[in-house]
Amino acid sequence: HRVAEFYPEGADRYYQDDLAVIRSGQPRLGIEEPCQLPSGEQRWLHTDKVPLTDEDGQVTRLLVVSVDITARKRAEEAFREQQALLQDIPDHTPALIFIKELEQRYLKINRRYEQVLGVSSSEILGKAAHEFLPEAVAEQFAANDHALLASGQARQVEETIPQAAGPHIYASTQF
């Protein structure tokens, strides 16, 4: 079995997987797994395994197509690292930062926003303000959002946000 030459760490598992496909007659598609070359280099493979049958329906061969997806995996990891870095910036600022969609549902909030409102992002994301804030505050936010959309211009507004120590007024820049 030549797999052991280029995939020594996973050769037995790879072979057992081949046998399972042959025995079940069911293909395995979209397998993504790392493999380590004899040189020590780490690579990623995307593999599809399809049993081939004769006219009686008996599995006679196994078609295996593996594509090296190392470049894609590295790009995905670099993207995740960049996303984490970009999230670190708003998460470490004292400003409240959030992004909403046109229907006023929250798409993103920073840690400071979570702290001030005393809720986690999982409690806010995908929701509109009226689903987690007092009605008067939610109405104020909605009115400010509508005014922003109507004007199409960045603007500064004051918004009052309830906190445990009492309401606080924030200068908010909307764009």
Side-chain angles (χ1 to χ4, degrees), residues 28-77:
R28 288 222 34 228
L29 305 175
I31 305 163
E32 291 188 4
E33 58 190 355
C35 68
Q36 187 170 349
L37 301 179
S39 66
E41 181 183 2
Q42 182 81 18
R43 305 298 289 181
W44 277 87
L45 297 177
H46 173 105
T47 303
D48 293 327
K49 298 180 179 188
V50 180
L52 301 176
T53 59
D54 61 18
E55 55 275 347
D56 296 327
Q58 297 298 312
V59 176
T60 57
R61 289 169 276 162
L62 181 64
L63 173 65
V64 178
V65 178
S66 290
V67 177
D68 186 332
I69 58 169
T70 304
R72 187 192 90 205
K73 286 293 195 177
R74 289 179 180 156
E76 288 172 354
E77 180 60 27

Side-chain angles (χ1 to χ4, degrees), residues 4-157:
E5 292 175 31
F6 67 90
Y7 191 22
E9 298 297 317
D12 186 56
R13 182 176 42 80
Y14 193 90
Y15 180 69
Q16 292 304 318
D17 190 55
D18 287 352
L19 289 178
V21 171
I22 291 168
R23 288 180 184 138
S24 72
Q26 298 298 310
R28 288 222 34 228
L29 305 175
I31 305 163
E32 291 188 4
E33 58 190 355
C35 68
Q36 187 170 349
L37 301 179
S39 66
E41 181 183 2
Q42 182 81 18
R43 305 298 289 181
W44 277 87
L45 297 177
H46 173 105
T47 303
D48 293 327
K49 298 180 179 188
V50 180
L52 301 176
T53 59
D54 61 18
E55 55 275 347
D56 296 327
Q58 297 298 312
V59 176
T60 57
R61 289 169 276 162
L62 181 64
L63 173 65
V64 178
V65 178
S66 290
V67 177
D68 186 332
I69 58 169
T70 304
R72 187 192 90 205
K73 286 293 195 177
R74 289 179 180 156
E76 288 172 354
E77 180 60 27
F79 179 75
R80 279 191 297 277
E81 289 172 4
Q82 288 295 321
Q83 290 294 99
L85 179 62
L86 289 174
Q87 184 58 41
D88 278 349
I89 294 168
D91 276 349
H92 290 91
T93 182
L96 281 67
I97 299 174
F98 59 90
I99 300 171
K100 290 183 192 177
E101 62 186 12
L102 290 176
E103 292 80 26
Q104 299 180 355
R105 297 196 179 283
Y106 286 80
L107 297 174
K108 192 83 172 156
I109 64 171
N110 70 342
R111 285 188 193 143
R112 182 69 180 141
Y113 200 89
E114 288 179 312
Q115 293 166 348
V116 167
L117 271 72
V119 292
S120 70
S121 62
S122 63
E123 296 173 271
I124 293 176
L125 298 183
K127 296 180 181 175
H130 71 271
E131 296 179 71
F132 62 89
L133 287 172
E135 186 177 337
V137 175
E139 286 176 8
Q140 175 194 11
F141 285 10
N144 288 339
D145 292 346
H146 289 300
L148 169 67
L149 292 172
S151 73
Q153 300 292 318
R155 45 187 253 128
Q156 291 255 330
V157 295

